[in-house]
Amino acid sequence: MTRSLLLVLLFIHATSAASAEPSGEAPPPGDAGAAKGSSVWQTLHGEQPKVVAHGGFSGLYPQSTPTANAIAALYPKLILLCNLQITMDKVGICVANLDLSEGTSIAVEYPNKTKTYKVNGKDVTGYFSVDYAMNQLNNVIATQSVLSRPDAFDIDPIPTFDDFRASIAAPRWIHVEYPQFYDEHKLSYEDYFDKNSLRGINYLSTPELTFLKAISAMKPPTMKLYFAFKGREELEPTTNQTYGELLLDKLKPMITGIVVPREYIWPVEKSNYLAPEPNLLVADAHELGLEVYVYGFANDNVLSYNYSYDPTEEYLQFTSKGFSVDGFITDFPPTAMNAVECFAKYNNSESRREGQPLVITNGGASGIYAGSTDLAYQKAVDDEADIIDCSVQMSKDGVAFCMATADLSVDTTAAAIFPDRATTIPEIQKDDGIFSFDLEWSDIQSLQPQLSSPFEKTSDLKRNPAVKNEGKFMTLDQFLQFAKAKSVPGILINIDNAAYLASKEGHDVVTTVSTALHKASFDKQTTQQVLIQSDDTSVLAKFSNLGYKRVLAVKEEVSDIPKATVDEIKKYADAVTLTRFSIIPTSHGFTRKETNSVLALQAANLSVFVTTLNNEYLSLAFDYNSDAMFEIATYTQLVQVNGTITEYPGTANKYLKNPCSNLNDPDLMYAILPINPGQMLNLTKYSENLSPPKPALAVKDIADPPLPPAIKVQDGAPPPGSSACAHSGLSIAAMALLSLLNGLFHI
């Protein structure tokens, strides 16, 4: 990487990193991370937990490259870690994996040159540093070792230990993983360190006891030494004991502390939920005067379901449950720093500030419970959502109820129970489905909710499977009564497919909604805000002059909204909902420069809501560091939308309530700042191969024809002009089989 490119990347990250040096002081009494009623953290020495950048910012850049280290070091007091290996000619390099093909381009430079060696008693095949002199690696570059991470920055040479020690003014940590293997190849780490002073190295860790004893006799007095535990059942190679059998009190004379996997402290059960209680390792180690660092943190791990895909929650689990570890070793240091500096200190205890964007739900807290159920709505209320929503669907017998779509095969068990009801209705969706208006309300009540994830078909990112089918459906009347009883600040009623329902199914959904709101007295009060949302301007026109806020949903991705279009929108709406990509487009996994759409709408006094925000890292552009907090910060602080529509209202509220989001506070010591959309993409090879922007939203796209009258359809008669047909293909049958299998094996 050229020096100029590195400097630009540093500038980009510097403007979206912490605003000021963390104080390093203990949090106020009673805050998470500190003992309740005390003024100190529950770490060994009462200090704030440290953050160790594993290979620098390796969650985004190849490990230990100048870029990864320099960007991580933008966060003050952060520690940089190098996984040290030795080449044939005794040059130290920083590469995490013993097999160099995982993290470098060596397999491209030397194809079909793998070897097999015994490593700790097991055969390992790959490319090993012991077989190459440094000059043979000159054309080998450092690469991302995790396939889901970007390869756009795979351009730096393999980083050397000398580069690591000389380049960045930050505390340094060396991890030595396989000393015995290198001894067997006549490459002793003790000899290496004898010739290459450990001066300037602040921390060293290793999982091998023989090397630990040797290095403890030669380390500088100021260097801290740690024993690194592997899996409990793995053998420590120099004693043939398992790591689970090693005793802390026997290690204590040689070490400052221990480094352990996360599961040593918070076990994760086979169900991918946390064990009910943590192990006592931290307390035991602290009793002996040993520090405890934990490794394995990465935002793009498959996290325990307990964390709802919010990586900051995982760090809090290790600092706010009656104990605190002394440090975290992580691939994503910005998230760890945010967790320690912001969320552990303040623990969601602050109040929302006046004028902040609204937190609007999408089916309630539908990332945690099945959408539009009583449980999802109650969770949204508990998470202090400002607006809870109901997307109104109609049953065959005219019962209005809340569900994300008219297709019941998505969020219910309809595919297993009523596979023969599958039809294709192009006016509603291109895929076949089982539609609510083809089933009586009693039939729908016989179904179970189904918590679905937009990511589970292509990944392991399932949502809270223990409660997959829990909850009750809510009619529109029940939803309105729930909202009144819970005194939520507002509600959003979404109306789709009104024209189809009227002309083909005989349902006047607009009148149904109006009547329900009147019956619940929402038209006679001002304490709870009422939003009516639709993508059909004729629907919105029906709600004019009723005191409700009308929201036009623009579902297609657009690149601009010209003034003439804005003027047309104002005839029907008070607010506009835009997709994320209509505000900040993406390309090749990176954000592009934000559009002018929000500014254009707000200049005309139209509020703007962004939809739909999720926690899962697969929904996020690389610029957001696989952390939803950065996306929320960007839409609320940089773009300044008026509301965020989210399936995880607790996450949005957690950011907005935290003092680190208050950029107007002159005393703010640390801030979670927005990213700079488009700047990172412009530094990659992909910037030269961008797709053209989406079309602008035109005036002709706004006004819809008047709604047709509702025409009652007799049972057994096809709807007038209907294009629906019975579906006899395999897709619904396959869905039914899958649902049945899930039911058989779900415990």
Side-chain angles (χ1 to χ4, degrees), residues 149 188 197 209 227 320 453 482 499 569 610 621 623 695 737:
R149 297 175 183 176
S188 163
S197 169
L209 279 174
F227 184 71
S320 58
S453 166
F482 174 87
I569 291 172
V610 58
D623 320 44
L737 178 59

Side-chain angles (χ1 to χ4, degrees), residues 375-551:
L375 295 179
Y377 289 128
Q378 183 58 57
K379 178 61 175 170
V381 171
D382 294 342
D383 289 339
E384 302 180 67
D386 298 302
I387 307 288
I388 61 172
D389 71 300
C390 171
S391 287
V392 178
Q393 311 302 334
M394 300 296 295
S395 68
K396 185 175 183 178
D397 49 344
V399 176
F401 66 100
C402 304
M403 186 72 65
T405 71
D407 181 4
L408 300 178
S409 66
V410 178
D411 293 319
T412 79
T413 54
I417 307 303
F418 298 112
D420 57 331
R421 303 291 186 92
T423 56
T424 301
I425 305 179
E427 297 96 323
I428 293 180
Q429 64 185 38
K430 64 179 181 179
D431 298 322
D432 59 318
I434 301 171
F435 296 98
S436 64
F437 42 76
D438 289 332
L439 297 177
E440 304 282 344
W441 176 239
S442 59
D443 292 331
I444 295 172
Q445 287 182 298
S446 72
L447 303 173
Q448 288 181 301
Q450 185 165 275
L451 175 57
S452 59
S453 166
F455 313 104
E456 63 185 5
K457 291 183 179 179
T458 57
S459 71
D460 295 327
L461 302 185
K462 298 178 181 178
R463 290 178 171 175
N464 205 9
V467 298
K468 178 176 182 177
N469 300 117
E470 293 187 11
K472 297 178 181 178
F473 304 124
M474 295 184 78
T475 65
L476 175 59
D477 290 339
Q478 290 170 335
F479 170 82
L480 295 176
Q481 291 303 317
F482 174 87
K484 291 188 70 175
K486 299 298 180 179
S487 299
V488 295
I491 60 172
L492 183 149
I493 306 299
N494 182 67
I495 301 174
D496 288 329
N497 309 313
Y500 179 87
L501 289 170
S503 64
K504 304 295 177 66
E505 303 296 335
H507 296 306
D508 185 346
V509 65
V510 170
T511 298
T512 299
V513 169
S514 299
T515 302
L517 288 169
H518 174 73
K519 179 181 175 182
S521 301
F522 273 94
D523 58 344
K524 300 182 181 68
Q525 56 83 49
T526 57
T527 57
Q528 291 177 290
Q529 189 174 181
V530 178
L531 284 65
I532 304 295
Q533 176 176 274
S534 181
D535 60 349
D536 189 328
T537 53
S538 294
V539 170
L540 299 181
K542 295 285 187 179
F543 289 93
S544 61
N545 303 317
L546 295 178
Y548 306 142
K549 187 169 186 174
R550 297 175 297 165
V551 184

Side-chain angles (χ1 to χ4, degrees), residues 70-83:
I71 289 171
L74 291 171
Y75 290 81
K77 300 188 178 180
L78 186 139
I79 301 165
L80 297 175
L81 183 148
C82 159
N83 290 277

Side-chain angles (χ1 to χ4, degrees), residues 72 156 318 345 516 670:
D156 285 323
F318 291 82
K345 282 186 177 180
Y670 186 97

Side-chain angles (χ1 to χ4, degrees), residues 689-706:
N689 185 30
L690 299 180
S691 58
K694 298 292 183 180
L697 186 63
V699 172
K700 64 180 178 60
D701 299 323
I702 303 303
D704 293 292

Side-chain angles (χ1 to χ4, degrees), residues 290-357:
L290 295 173
E291 297 176 355
V292 180
Y293 281 74
V294 191
Y295 68 87
F297 291 90
N299 296 0
D300 49 6
N301 283 335
V302 178
L303 302 177
S304 166
Y305 299 127
N306 298 76
Y307 304 131
S308 299
Y309 298 104
D310 175 1
T312 62
E313 284 296 311
E314 184 174 32
Y315 293 101
L316 299 183
Q317 198 74 18
F318 291 82
T319 62
S320 58
K321 302 297 179 182
F323 68 91
S324 178
V325 299
D326 299 279
F328 302 100
I329 300 176
T330 175
D331 290 4
F332 290 85
T335 297
M337 293 296 293
N338 292 347
V340 172
E341 283 290 339
C342 299
F343 301 115
K345 282 186 177 180
Y346 300 106
N347 194 28
N348 213 20
S349 59
E350 304 292 309
S351 299
R352 286 276 297 279
R353 299 182 298 280
E354 188 175 351
Q356 287 187 297

Side-chain angles (χ1 to χ4, degrees), residues 717-738:
S722 173
S723 60
C725 59
H727 186 280
S728 59
L730 291 176
S731 60
I732 288 290
M735 292 165 62
L737 178 59
L738 180 60

